Amino acid sequence: MFTGIIEQTGRVVAARDEGGYLEVTLAPERPWPDLSLGESVACSGACLTVTGGDEVGFSVQLSHETLAK
């Protein structure tokens, strides 16, 4: 059950198959300067861990198990 507050929306700007996982880059609608590596972000109901980022957006890694759901 989701009990948080939606802070913003965004879009997928890149997806790369890395063999063991899918690396997805997301671009939020507004800059998100306080987002840090290792932080957990809920994306369409899935809780994902931030693995990278730049001024445009941030990256997460989706395992095969996550993709199967």
Side-chain angles (χ1 to χ4, degrees), residues 25-33 52-59:
T25 302
L26 303 156
E29 61 186 1
R30 298 179 313 276
W32 204 340
D54 59 24
E55 63 281 344
V56 175
F58 62 95
S59 297

Side-chain angles (χ1 to χ4, degrees), residues 6-46:
I6 297 172
E7 293 188 23
Q8 58 177 302
T9 60
R11 60 188 172 84
V12 174
V13 294
R16 250 186 9 221
D17 184 358
E18 293 293 330
Y21 59 90
L22 182 68
E23 182 175 89
V24 176
T25 302
L26 303 156
E29 61 186 1
R30 298 179 313 276
W32 204 340
D34 60 342
L35 191 63
S36 58
L37 291 178
E39 190 165 347
S40 195
V41 177
C43 296
S44 296

